[in-house]
C-alpha cells in the first residue's frame, strides 16, 4: 500500500486516503479538435514501465488534486507537486534524474 | 506407538492436565501442548486423509508449515475447518475432528481412489472431463463437487469477535528466535521504535531445542536474558502469538495476533489484525525443513527430523520406541542424538552421503548409534502407521539390503530459508549450490518509497545456518536497518555462540537416485494434494517447462500449506526432468499471506451494524415509526413506501400515487444532492459542466440541467437554482452528490484552475420536503407567511422567506407533474417542519409517499431517471433531451464526444413510451424482438425496456424504452421478450402519459 505525500497539506498519506486519477499532463481536446486527436486524448495512455507522472487526489484528506512522479515498476516515489501545472517542475525532473540518470522524458507533455 | 515421555518437555506443565476430544474420543494433554503434541502424546498417529487419494495422513511437521494435520474445531457458531493442529494451543474442552474421510477416519471409502491411482495422474481432470461436452454438467461436475473441498464450511454466523489495530514503528523485527532477538537488541539500542513479532507464544525459536550455547550460557537462558533487556527498553514492543502474514508496498505489514484463540464466548477478541507501518523490516523468520522423496514417505510416523526434536524437547513426546533417521546432512544427527539422550532407540541413521565424518555424526557414533552412509530408504512399511523400513543403496535402484523394524522415521532433506516476507514485494532469490537452498539475494531487495531496500533478512532466513554467524548476521542487519530508517546504529557487538561445524549437505531429490517408475509413484512431494515425483515428471514430459505451469497442472504447492514443504523438492525434480539447473527453473511466486488469516480477522469490527455507516435524514425516525419499508440508496435509507396495516406493498404504492394526484403528498427529498457553486466565474464554470446554458439563468429562477462525462455519456441531472449573481445551488441525484461534487472539483483543480469558483457539498445541511399535489398550495398557505401564489412564485422559480415561523427556501419544481413545492430548511429544523406539514395537511388528506410512488409519478409524466434510462452508455440525445443541450455554447464537457461518429449514428436506440396491447406491465429490461439472428445465433434485438410500472392513474401498464428509430415509429406494435419464454406486444407511444400539456404543474 503506497505512501504518497500530499504537497498541499504535507500529510504522508496512506493509499486508502487517496484516489488515483491516471496519467497527468494530458492536454484537453475540445470541440475544435480532429477525430483522431480527440480519440487519443480520451483513450491513449502511455502506461510506461518506469518513470510516470500521475494524478492523485487526497480524497479522504484535504481534497486536493496533485501530481506524483513515480516509478511504476519499483514503486519509488520521486516527488509530488501541484496539479495546477501542465509540465513537471524542474525540481521533480532533477529528483528523477538523480535516481535514473538514463531516463528520457518520453511521457513529458509535448508543449 | 507414540506416547508421552516420563519426563522432559520444556513447554508443558505436567501439573495442569487438559482434557479434549478427537473424533469424540476423550484424550488428555497438558497446558502448553499444541493440539498436535497432545495427539501424538495420546498415540493418535493417524489424524487425517489426503485430498485426492484419501491416503492416511499423520503429523509431519511441528509448526505452521504442517500440511496434513488439519482438523475441524469447535461447533455451531465457533466451528472452524482446516485448523493446523501444530500451531493450535491445546485448550480445555477443545473438540477436534478429522477431515476428508467417509464414513470414518479409519475406514474411508474414498481411499479406493488410490487403488486406481494410476488412472488419476497429473492432469487427469483436464484430460478426462472434457468429452462428451454435456457430461460435464450432469455427470462430472456433481461427482467432483462431492469430493471437492477440504473440511466442512461453517453453517452459522461466526460467534467470535475480531478487531483491527494499528501500529507504527521504525524497525519491525519479524521472528523472535535468537536472530530476531539479537536484531531487536541492536536496533533497540539505537533508540528507534522497534516492534518484534513472534508467531509462537514462546520465544527463542529453534536454538533452545537444538541446544545452542550463546555467551557461555544455554540458549534458553540467553533468550530469557535478552527478553529482560528488551522489556526494559521503552522504545521496544514485544508481541508474541502474532504472525506476520504479508509485506506490502512502502513498509505496510499485516499480522494476525491470536488473542483468545478458540475459546468460545470469551469477551476478548479471538484474533486481532495488526495493520503496521514501518520504515524497515527485518525478517528473522528462520527456515523450514524439507522432506526427502522416498517410497512411502507419506505414511503416518514419517516426520521431519527437526519436528521430531521439537516434539521430544518441547513437549516430551516419544514418536515411537525406535526411530530411524534418514538424512542428507549433518543437522539430522541432532535428532538422533536427542532421541538417544531421551532414552529412546535409534536403530540407524541412514545417510545418503558417501561419508559422514563431521562432529555431529561422530558424536552420534560415540553414543553407539549405527550410521549407514551411502544408504537410502527403499520402502517404508506399514499403512496407517510406520512398521519398519527397507534400506538400499542411494546410488542404486532400490534393491533391498536390509530391513529395520521401527515406529517412526525422522527425515531431513536440508533446510529452506523462509523467504516469503522478503519476496512478497519483489525481493529476489539466489540459488546457493553449497547449501542447496534458495536464499535472499541482498543485491536485489524489495524497495520502499525512497527506492532503497525495505526488507532485510537475518539469520537462517538469510541462509546463515550456524549460530555464531546467525547472531553476527542479525546484528549487521539491524545496523543496516537502523541507518536506512534514519537512525544512528548503536555500538552493539553480537553475542558469541559456540560453533558446531557441519559438513556439507548432499542434494538428494530422489531416494534412491535410480528409483524406477513403481517407486516414484509412491514418493510424495505434496502430502495434502497427493502430488508425487512421478506426477511432476509426467508434467515435464508433457511439455510443462515453466514451474508456474507445472504447479497448476499437478496442483503441487497449491494445498493449504502453499508448498512450504513441497515446492523446492518439486522444482528440483522438475529441473532434473528438464535437464536444466535449478536456478533456471526458478521458484513459483511467493504471495501473501504466509499463513492463512481468518476471514473474521480481515473483516474485523466491520460487520452487522458496523459494516458501513448509515446516513439518516432529519426525518428518518418519523419514517421508521410510520410504516416505512426501506430502500438503500447509496449509504442512505429512503422510504420505499409507507405500509398501513393489512396493506400490500403494491397497494400502498397505488394509494400513495393516487392521493398525490388527487389530494396532496409529501416526500422526504433531503437526500437529493445540493452542491453550492460560488464565485465570479461560477456561471462560466457551470456552462462547461452542464450541457445547457446556466450563465443566462436569472437569480430567483431554476433550470433543469444535464451533466455529461468527457466521453459524452450522461452522468447526472438535476435542477439548478440561481441564488444571486455569483451563487448557484446545483441539485443532483441522491446517489450523485459526492460524485458530482468530485467531478466539479476535478475540473476546477486540474483543468480550469484559473476560474474563480468554489464548489461545496451542502447536501446534509438542509432537510428538503416536497409538498406535491393539487392541494399543496392550500396546505402551505395554512402555515402562514410568504406569498406562494402562482404570480409571486411561478413554476421554475424559487424564493426565500418565512413559512409558519420556519426560514425556508421554496422551489417551484416538480418531479411528478403536479403542483409541487420543495421546501428547504436547515437540517436541524427538518423534522419540526415535517411534523407541522403533516398536521396542517391532515384536513387536505396529506399522505407521505415513498420512492416507488415517486418513480411511478415521474414515469407517468415521462421524466427520465439516472440509472434507469441512463446506464453509462447513453447520451442525452438518446433520451430526446436535445432541448437541454445548448447549440450556442462553444464548449461543455462531453460536447466534442457527442460529435463522434458513433454518437451521431442514426441507428442509436432512442427513448419512447410503450403501452402494452393488453394493458399488462412489461417485464423490466425486456428486449424488443428484431428480425433474424446475430453471428452468435441469438435473436436480434431492436430495443429494450428501461422503466416499467403499473400506472394507478391510468389503470394500466406503462413503460419507457430505448428503441431503434423509436421516435419515427409511433404507433408501431413490437414484440418484447418475457422471462420463461413467449412474447408480450406493446405499442410505441409518446413517453408523456399524464398531462402532456403540463397544466397541472403550472397551476
Amino acid at each position: 500500500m503506497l505512501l504518497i505525500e500530499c504537497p498541499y497539506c504535507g500529510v504522508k498519506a496512506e493509499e486508502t486516503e487517496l484516489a488515483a486519477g491516471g496519467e497527468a499532463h494530458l492536454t484537453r481536446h475540445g470541440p475544435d479538435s480532429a477525430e483522431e486527436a480527440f480519440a487519443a486524448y480520451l483513450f491513449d495512455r502511455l502506461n510506461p514501465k518506469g518513470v510516470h507522472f500521475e494524478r492523485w487526489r487526497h480524497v479522504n484528506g484535504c481534497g486536493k488534486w496533485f501530481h506524483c512522479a513515480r516509478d511504476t515498476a519499483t514503486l519509488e516515489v520521486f516527488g509530488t507537486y501541484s496539479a495546477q501545472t501542465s509540465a513537471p517542475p524542474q525540481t521533480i525532473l532533477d529528483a528523477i534524474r538523480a535516481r535514473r540518470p538514463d531516463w528520457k522524458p518520453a511521457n513529458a507533455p509535448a508543449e | 506407538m507414540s506416547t508421552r515421555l516420563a519426563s522432559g518437555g520444556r513447554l508443558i506443565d505436567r501439573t495442569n492436565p487438559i482434557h479434549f476430544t478427537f473424533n469424540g474420543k476423550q484424550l488428555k494433554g497438558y497446558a502448553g501442548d499444541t493440539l498436535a503434541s497432545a495427539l501424538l502424546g495420546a498415540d493418535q498417529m493417524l489424524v487425517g486423509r489426503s485430498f485426492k487419494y484419501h491416503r492416511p495422513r499423520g503429523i509431519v511437521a511441528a509448526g505452521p508449515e504442517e500440511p496434513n494435520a488439519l482438523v475441524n474445531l469447535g461447533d455451531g457458531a465457533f466451528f472452524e475447518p482446516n485448523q493446523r493442529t501444530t500451531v493450535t494451543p491445546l485448550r480445555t474442552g477443545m473438540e477436534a475432528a478429522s477431515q476428508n474421510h467417509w464414513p470414518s477416519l479409519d475406514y474411508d471409502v474414498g481411499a479406493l481412489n488410490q487403488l486406481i491411482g494410476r488412472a488419476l495422474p497429473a492432469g487427469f481432470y483436464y484430460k478426462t472431463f472434457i468429452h462428451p461436452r454435456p457430461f460435464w454438467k450432469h455427470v462430472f461436475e456433481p461427482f467432483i463437487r462431492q469430493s471437492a473441498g477440504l473440511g466442512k464450511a461453517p453453517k452459522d454466523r461466526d460467534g467470535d469477535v475480531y478487531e483491527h489495530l494499528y501500529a507504527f514503528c521504525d524497525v519491525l523485527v519479524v521472528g523472535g528466535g535468537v536472530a530476531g532477538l539479537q536484531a531487536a537488541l541492536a536496533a533497540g539500542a539505537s533508540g528507534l521504535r522497534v516492534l518484534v513479532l513472534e508467531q509462537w507464544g514462546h520465544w527463542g525459536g529453534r536454538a533452545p531445542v537444538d541446544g545452542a550455547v550463546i555467551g557461555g550460557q544455554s540458549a534458553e537462558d540467553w533468550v530469557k536474558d535478552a527478553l529482560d533487556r528488551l522489556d526494559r527498553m521503552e522504545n521496544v514492543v514485544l508481541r508474541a502469538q502474532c504472525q506476520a502474514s504479508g509485506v506490502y508496498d512502502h513498509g505496510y505489514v499485516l499480522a494476525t495476533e491470536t488473542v483468545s484463540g478458540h475459546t468460545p464466548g470469551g469477551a476478548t477478541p479471538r484474533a486481532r489484525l495488526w495493520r503496521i507501518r514501518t520504515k524497515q523490516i527485518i525478517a528473522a523468520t528462520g527456515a523450514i525443513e524439507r522432506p526427502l522423496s522416498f517410497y512411502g514417505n507419506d505414511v503416518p510416523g514419517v516426520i521431519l527430523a527437526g519436528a521430531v526434536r521439537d516434539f521430544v524437547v518441547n513437549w516430551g513426546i516419544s514418536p515411537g520406541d525406535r526411530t530411524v533417521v534418514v538424512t542428507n546432512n549433518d543437522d539430522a544427527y541432532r535428532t538422533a542424538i536427542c532421541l538417544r539422550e531421551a532414552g529412546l532407540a535409534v536403530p540407524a541413521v541412514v545417510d545418503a552421503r558417501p561419508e559422514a565424518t563431521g562432529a555431529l555424526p561422530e558424536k552420534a557414533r560415540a553414543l553407539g548409534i549405527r550410521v549407514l552412509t551411502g544408504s537410502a530408504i527403499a520402502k517404508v512399511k506399514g499403512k496407517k502407521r510406520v512398521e519398519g523400513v527397507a534400506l538400499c543403496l542411494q546410488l542404486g535402484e532400490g534393491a533391498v539390503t536390509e530391513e529395520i523394524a521401527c515406529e517412526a522415521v525422522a527425515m531431513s532433506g536440508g533446510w529452506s530459508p523462509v523467504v516469503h516476507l522478503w519476496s512478497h514485494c519483489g525481493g529476489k532469490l539466489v540459488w546457493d549450490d553449497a547449501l542447496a537452498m534458495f536464499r535472499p539475494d541482498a543485491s536485489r531487495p524489495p524497495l520502499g518509497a525512497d527506492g532503497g531496500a525495505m526488507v532485510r533478512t537475518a539469520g537462517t532466513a538469510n541462509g546463515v545456518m550456524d549460530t555464531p554467524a546467525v547472531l553476527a548476521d542479525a546484528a549487521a542487519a539491524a545496523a543496516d536497518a537502523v541507518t536506512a530508517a534514519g537512525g544512528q546504529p548503536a555500538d552493539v557487538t553480537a553475542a558469541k555462540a559456540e560453533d558446531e561445524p557441519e559438513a556439507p549437505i548432499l542434494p538428494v531429490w530422489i531416494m534412491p537416485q535410480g528409483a524406477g517408475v513403481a517407486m516414484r509413484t509412491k514418493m510424495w512431494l505434496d502430502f495434502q494434494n497427493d502430488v508425487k515425483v512421478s506426477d511432476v515428471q509426467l508434467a515435464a514430459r508433457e511439455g510443462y517447462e515453466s514451474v508456474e505451469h507445472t504447479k497448476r497442472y499437478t496442483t503441487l504447492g497449491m494445498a493449504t500449506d502453499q508448498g512450504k514443504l513441497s515446492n523446492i523438492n518439486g522444482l528440483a525434480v522438475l529441473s532434473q526432468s528438464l535437464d536444466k539447473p535449478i536456478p533456471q527453473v526458478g521458484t513459483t511466486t511467493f504471495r501473501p499471506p504466509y499463513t492463512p488469516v481468518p476471514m473474521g480477522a480481515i473483516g474485523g469490527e466491520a460487520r452487522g451494524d458496523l459494516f458501513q455507516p448509515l446516513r439518516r435524514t432529519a426525518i428518518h425516525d418519523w419514517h421508521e415509526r410510520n410504516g416505512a419499508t426501506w430502500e438503500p440508496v447509496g449509504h442512505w435509507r429512503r422510504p420505499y413506501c409507507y405500509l398501513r396495516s393489512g396493506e400490500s406493498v403494491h397497494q400502498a404504492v397505488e394509494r400513495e400515487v393516487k392521493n398525490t394526484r388527487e389530494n396532496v403528498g409529501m416526500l422526504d427529498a433531503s437526500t437529493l444532492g445540493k452542491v453550492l457553486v460560488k464565485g465570479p466565474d461560477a456561471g462560466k464554470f457551470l456552462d462547461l459542466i452542464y450541457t445547457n446554458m446556466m450563465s443566462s439563468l436569472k437569480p430567483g429562477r431554476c433550470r433543469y440541467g444535464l451533466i455529461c462525462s468527457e466521453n459524452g455519456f450522461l452522468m447526472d441531472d438535476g435542477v439548478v437554482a440561481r441564488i444571486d449573481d455569483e451563487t448557484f445551488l446545483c441539485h443532483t441525484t441522491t446517489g450523485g452528490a459526492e460524485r458530482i461534487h468530485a467531478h466539479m472539483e476535478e475540473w476546477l483543480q486540474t483543468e480550469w484552475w484559473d476560474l474563480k469558483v468554489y464548489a461545496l457539498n451542502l447536501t446534509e445541511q438542509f432537510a428538503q420536503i416536497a409538498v406535491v399535489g393539487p392541494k399543496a398550495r392550500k396546505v402551505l398557505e395554512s402555515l402562514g407567511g410568504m406569498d406562494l401564489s402562482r404570480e409571486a412564485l411561478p413554476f421554475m422559480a424559487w424564493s426565500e422567506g418565512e413559512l409558519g415561523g420556519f426560514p425556508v427556501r421554496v422551489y417551484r419544481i416538480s418531479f411528478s407533474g403536479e403542483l409541487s413545492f420543495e421546501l428547504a430548511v436547515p437540517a436541524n429544523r427538518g423534522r419540526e417542519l415535517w411534523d407541522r406539514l403533516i398536521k396542517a395537511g391532515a384536513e387536505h388528506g396529506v399522505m407521505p409517499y415513498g420512492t416507488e410512488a415517486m418513480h411511478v409519478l415521474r414515469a407517468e409524466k415521462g421524466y427520465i431517471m439516472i440509472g434507469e434510462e441512463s446506464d453509462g452508455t447513453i447520451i442525452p440525445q438518446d433520451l430526446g433531451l436535445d432541448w437541454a443541450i445548448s447549440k450556442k455554447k462553444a464548449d461543455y464537457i462531453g460536447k466534442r464526444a457527442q460529435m463522434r461518429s458513433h454518437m451521431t449514428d442514426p441507428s442509436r436506440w432512442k427513448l419512447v413510451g410503450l403501452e402494452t396491447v393488453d394493458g399488462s406491465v412489461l417485464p423490466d429490461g425486456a428486449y424488443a424482438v428484431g428480425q433474424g439472428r446475430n453471428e452468435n445465433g441469438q435473436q436480434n434485438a431492436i430495443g429494450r425496456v428501461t422503466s416499467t410500472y403499473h400506472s394507478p392513474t391510468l389503470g394500466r401498464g406503462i413503460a419507457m424504452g430505448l428503441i431503434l428509430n423509436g421516435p419515427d415509429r409511433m404507433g408501431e406494435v413490437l414484440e418484447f421478450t418475457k422471462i420463461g419464454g413467449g412474447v408480450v406486444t406493446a405499442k410505441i407511444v409518446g413517453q408523456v402519459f399524464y398531462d402532456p400539456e403540463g397544466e397541472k404543474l403550472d397551476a
Side-chain angles (χ1 to χ4, degrees):
Chain A
M1 197 158 71
L2 304 180
L3 274 181
I4 301 177
E5 187 172 305
C6 171
Y8 288 95
C9 63
V11 166
K12 203 160 213 184
E14 295 271 350
E15 200 175 323
T16 49
E17 266 178 65
L18 304 166
E23 188 175 321
H25 306 310
L26 299 176
T27 304
R28 181 168 186 259
H29 284 57
D32 300 332
S33 54
E35 191 78 12
E36 289 285 303
F38 181 72
Y41 154 64
L42 274 189
F43 304 117
D44 292 358
R45 297 295 181 266
L46 289 164
N47 193 26
K49 181 179 182 180
V51 176
H52 195 31
F53 301 96
E54 296 173 323
R55 305 180 330 141
W56 288 83
R57 187 182 182 208
H58 195 187
V59 63
N60 294 316
C62 69
K64 290 289 189 188
W65 280 92
F66 62 89
H67 287 158
C68 175
R70 197 170 69 90
D71 188 314
T72 58
T74 68
L75 309 187
E76 179 173 355
V77 176
F78 303 109
T80 55
Y81 54 100
S82 165
Q84 302 184 352
T85 177
S86 49
Q90 194 58 43
T91 50
I92 293 290
L93 297 176
D94 291 346
I96 295 167
R97 289 211 178 87
R99 301 282 308 170
R100 303 280 186 278
D102 298 335
W103 172 71
K104 298 216 173 30
N107 56 345
E111 282 293 310
Chain B
M1 258 188 89
S2 63
T3 185
R4 189 78 65 171
L5 292 163
S7 63
R10 60 188 275 267
L11 299 179
I12 54 168
D13 174 5
R14 288 181 191 257
T15 65
N16 189 359
I18 287 182
H19 297 273
F20 68 104
T21 67
F22 179 73
N23 289 344
K25 197 160 59 176
Q26 285 284 344
L27 300 173
K28 189 185 82 172
Y30 296 107
D33 258 328
T34 63
L35 186 51
S37 65
L39 286 169
L40 280 177
D43 190 33
Q44 190 64 50
M45 272 281 182
L46 174 64
V47 291
R49 294 269 175 176
S50 66
F51 185 62
K52 190 167 164 188
Y53 299 140
H54 292 238
R55 301 244 319 170
R57 286 288 176 259
I59 293 159
V60 67
E65 67 271 31
E66 173 64 37
N68 289 344
L70 309 181
V71 292
N72 295 315
L73 270 194
D75 64 359
F78 300 95
F79 175 83
E80 190 143 26
N82 294 325
Q83 295 302 293
R84 288 158 297 152
T85 56
T86 48
V87 294
T88 304
L90 187 68
R91 292 182 200 277
T92 304
M94 195 168 246
E95 294 170 27
S98 55
Q99 304 184 156
N100 212 37
H101 53 72
W102 186 84
S104 80
L105 180 59
D106 271 322
Y107 301 97
D108 178 58
V109 171
L112 287 171
N113 276 1
Q114 63 182 305
L115 300 179
I116 53 163
R118 211 167 265 201
L120 287 169
F124 170 74
Y125 291 84
Y126 295 134
K127 290 167 186 161
T128 311
F129 295 132
I130 289 188
H131 302 288
R133 261 344 249 211
F135 267 50
W136 172 253
K137 191 171 171 192
H138 302 293
V139 182
F140 299 142
E141 195 191 352
F143 168 75
I144 292 171
R145 268 195 193 286
Q146 207 188 351
S147 56
L150 204 55
K152 285 185 288 186
K155 288 199 172 66
D156 297 335
R157 284 172 78 95
D158 191 342
D160 276 308
V161 293
Y162 304 84
E163 62 189 19
H164 285 186
L165 288 174
Y166 296 79
F168 299 87
C169 57
D170 297 308
V171 178
L172 174 70
V173 179
V174 180
V178 295
L181 294 175
Q182 175 65 73
L185 285 167
S190 74
L192 293 185
R193 294 170 304 167
V194 177
L195 174 61
V196 192
L197 305 181
E198 164 55 43
Q199 64 185 4
W200 292 98
H202 57 275
W203 299 79
R206 294 207 59 80
V209 175
D210 290 353
V213 178
I214 304 171
Q217 52 188 342
S218 73
E220 183 116 37
D221 290 340
W222 182 85
V223 167
K224 264 189 206 133
D225 186 49
L227 286 170
D228 278 349
R229 283 150 70 198
L230 290 168
D231 255 340
R232 284 196 298 272
M233 295 185 187
E234 282 183 2
N235 56 321
V236 177
V237 175
L238 299 168
R239 205 168 291 292
Q241 293 267 41
C242 193
Q243 177 85 62
S245 58
V247 170
Y248 304 84
D249 303 330
H250 294 183
Y252 189 71
V253 177
L254 285 184
T256 315
E257 181 186 4
T258 306
V259 187
S260 67
H262 296 279
T263 310
T268 48
R270 178 186 154 207
R272 290 187 180 117
L273 189 76
W274 282 93
R275 307 170 71 163
I276 302 163
R277 263 293 175 195
T278 181
K279 288 179 183 155
Q280 287 287 310
I281 298 157
I282 297 174
T285 43
I288 290 176
E289 198 167 26
R290 295 192 293 261
L292 282 166
S293 302
F294 49 83
Y295 187 129
N297 63 346
D298 68 324
V299 175
V302 180
I303 305 172
L304 291 168
V308 168
R309 246 156 40 228
D310 289 336
F311 285 121
V312 174
V313 177
N314 285 338
W315 296 290
I317 297 294
S318 155
D321 291 355
R322 298 164 297 182
T323 303
V324 168
V325 176
V326 54
T327 182
N328 62 348
N329 61 71
D330 271 8
D331 180 64
Y333 285 85
R334 291 194 172 97
T335 301
I337 294 162
C338 157
L339 286 165
R340 176 56 65 88
E341 285 175 348
L344 297 166
V346 180
V349 176
V350 179
D351 194 328
R353 296 174 296 180
E355 55 179 26
T357 53
L360 284 162
E362 291 305 341
K363 190 174 171 189
R365 286 192 183 97
L367 285 168
I369 297 170
R370 197 173 155 222
V371 175
L372 301 166
T373 54
S375 298
I377 288 186
K379 183 179 181 179
V380 174
K381 302 173 84 173
K383 281 198 166 59
K384 289 178 195 164
R385 58 170 69 224
V386 172
E387 288 162 11
V389 290
L391 304 185
C392 63
L393 299 176
Q394 169 60 18
L395 290 174
E397 294 172 48
V400 175
T401 55
E402 181 181 348
E403 293 195 359
I404 301 176
C406 60
E407 289 75 42
V409 176
M411 62 178 166
S412 176
W415 292 79
S416 297
V418 175
V419 295
H420 298 67
L421 299 184
W422 168 266
S423 302
H424 284 168
C425 274
K428 297 290 185 280
L429 304 176
V430 61
W431 176 255
D432 188 318
D433 258 329
L435 295 170
M437 62 167 65
F438 277 105
R439 58 177 173 77
D441 180 352
S443 68
R444 292 180 296 164
L447 303 177
D450 59 358
M454 174 174 86
V455 182
R456 283 148 225 283
T457 48
T460 43
N462 196 25
V464 177
M465 301 313 280
D466 60 319
T467 315
V470 161
L471 295 165
D473 186 56
D480 289 347
V482 166
T483 307
Q488 188 67 42
D491 190 13
V492 173
T493 334
K496 296 272 181 291
E498 278 178 25
D499 199 7
E500 202 166 33
E502 290 180 31
I505 185 175
L506 173 76
V508 169
W509 308 118
I510 299 178
M511 180 174 259
Q513 63 95 24
V517 176
M519 292 180 83
R520 296 199 304 264
T521 56
K522 297 290 180 191
M523 294 180 185
W524 262 256
L525 292 168
D526 189 315
F527 297 117
Q528 190 184 114
N529 272 1
D530 284 317
V531 182
K532 299 153 295 167
V533 166
S534 55
D535 293 317
V536 171
Q537 290 171 331
L538 175 68
R541 280 203 304 281
E542 294 187 345
Y544 288 87
E545 296 189 4
S546 150
V547 65
E548 297 281 8
H549 291 161
T550 302
K551 169 180 168 174
R552 272 99 190 150
Y553 191 57
T554 62
T555 72
L556 173 79
M558 285 168 68
T560 55
D561 66 314
Q562 290 287 289
K564 288 185 179 65
L565 296 190
S566 58
N567 267 359
I568 303 296
N569 286 350
L571 72 91
V573 169
L574 181 65
S575 102
Q576 279 188 337
S577 310
L578 296 171
D579 284 322
K580 279 188 193 167
I582 286 174
Q584 215 173 309
V585 172
T587 65
T588 52
T589 310
F590 295 89
R591 292 192 180 86
Y594 171 59
T595 54
V597 178
M599 289 304 293
I602 293 170
E605 299 92 339
R607 53 194 281 194
D609 287 345
L610 298 180
F611 179 65
Q612 63 176 19
L614 187 66
R615 299 177 77 181
R616 300 157 189 269
T617 72
I619 308 159
H620 188 97
D621 290 348
W622 190 94
H623 304 319
E624 198 152 49
R625 271 201 283 274
N626 286 273
T629 58
W630 297 107
E631 178 181 28
V633 186
H635 286 182
W636 296 101
R637 292 286 178 279
R638 301 191 71 184
Y640 180 87
C641 67
Y642 299 83
L643 277 184
R644 293 184 171 181
S645 73
E647 224 175 28
S648 69
V649 167
H650 179 73
Q651 287 167 335
V653 172
E654 296 258 323
R655 169 179 56 73
E656 290 171 11
V657 169
K658 278 188 179 159
N659 186 66
T660 303
R661 291 265 183 248
E662 289 162 14
N663 296 307
V664 57
M666 276 167 56
L667 176 78
D668 180 1
S670 307
T671 61
L672 288 183
K674 304 168 218 38
V675 180
L676 191 78
V677 177
K678 188 176 175 72
D681 293 322
K684 195 174 166 190
F685 175 62
L686 290 183
D687 280 349
L688 289 162
I689 291 290
Y690 284 91
T691 59
N692 47 351
M693 194 77 89
M694 287 299 169
S695 56
S696 61
L697 186 63
K698 302 263 183 302
R701 301 290 301 179
C702 301
R703 187 168 288 166
Y704 174 73
L706 305 172
I707 299 178
C708 293
S709 66
E710 189 74 319
N711 264 319
F713 298 123
L714 183 59
M715 284 173 71
D716 208 72
D717 67 349
V719 169
V720 177
R722 187 159 198 168
I723 307 296
D724 57 40
D725 269 356
E726 290 200 349
T727 315
F728 295 80
L729 185 67
C730 304
H731 289 102
T732 74
T733 57
T734 292
E738 282 70 33
R739 188 161 42 90
I740 293 304
H741 178 236
H743 176 71
M744 289 180 178
E745 283 290 343
E746 179 176 353
W747 287 95
L748 270 179
Q749 290 184 38
T750 67
E751 187 66 31
W752 298 307
W753 61 80
D754 52 326
L755 294 183
K756 293 187 173 71
V757 179
Y758 288 107
L760 191 63
N761 185 353
L762 293 180
T763 302
E764 285 162 333
Q765 306 302 312
F766 293 98
Q768 196 142 321
I769 300 166
V771 183
V772 181
K775 297 178 184 168
R777 185 177 281 122
K778 277 188 191 140
V779 173
L780 295 180
E781 282 175 348
S782 74
L783 264 60
M786 58 197 286
D787 186 357
L788 299 175
S789 66
R790 186 174 185 271
E791 296 67 34
L793 190 65
F795 181 57
M796 293 310 268
W798 74 273
S799 177
E800 191 153 16
E802 201 184 286
L803 206 59
F806 293 88
V808 290
R809 280 179 181 161
V810 183
Y811 305 91
R812 271 291 310 273
I813 54 181
S814 177
F815 195 42
S816 56
E818 295 300 330
L819 170 66
S820 164
F821 300 82
E822 291 204 10
L823 276 53
V825 284
N828 60 351
R829 301 203 63 186
R831 173 66 196 277
E832 198 186 343
L833 177 59
W834 178 274
D835 287 346
R836 182 81 66 85
L837 289 166
I838 288 285
K839 203 173 159 195
E843 61 175 299
H844 303 287
V846 75
M847 287 180 197
Y849 66 94
T851 51
E852 185 62 6
M854 177 187 80
H855 277 263
V856 175
L857 291 164
R858 67 94 195 167
E860 288 178 343
K861 185 66 184 166
Y863 290 148
I864 64 139
M865 186 85 185
I866 298 295
E868 304 283 344
E869 274 64 45
S870 75
D871 65 358
T873 69
I874 300 299
I875 57 176
Q877 291 86 341
D878 297 338
L879 304 180
L881 292 168
D882 305 70
W883 58 269
I885 301 169
S886 166
K887 308 280 182 296
K888 285 187 276 184
K889 288 197 298 189
D891 195 6
Y892 62 83
I893 297 166
K895 182 177 171 80
R896 177 64 186 86
Q898 288 164 3
M899 291 152 61
R900 303 182 75 212
S901 56
H902 178 60
M903 303 296 205
T904 54
D905 186 344
S907 64
R908 287 183 74 87
W909 294 358
K910 300 219 172 201
L911 191 69
V912 291
L914 298 166
E915 254 180 26
T916 48
V917 171
D918 61 3
S920 65
V921 178
L922 274 170
D924 204 358
Y927 277 94
V929 180
Q931 297 293 317
R933 292 182 171 269
N934 67 14
E935 57 270 29
N936 294 325
Q938 297 158 322
Q939 182 79 48
N940 276 325
I942 54 166
R944 64 184 164 86
V945 173
T946 56
S947 288
T948 175
Y949 301 96
H950 178 259
S951 162
T953 313
L954 305 177
R956 53 172 296 122
I958 59 164
M960 284 189 273
L962 292 157
I963 305 289
L964 176 67
N965 302 326
D968 304 330
R969 301 168 74 168
M970 286 296 156
E972 217 174 291
V973 173
L974 301 181
E975 289 184 336
F976 287 85
T977 52
K978 266 163 75 172
I979 291 170
V983 293
V984 51
T985 52
K987 189 166 74 173
I988 299 178
V989 295
Q991 76 199 57
V992 185
F993 296 93
Y994 177 77
D995 186 26
E997 277 71 49
E999 287 163 5
K1000 304 245 178 200
L1001 53 74
D1002 202 14

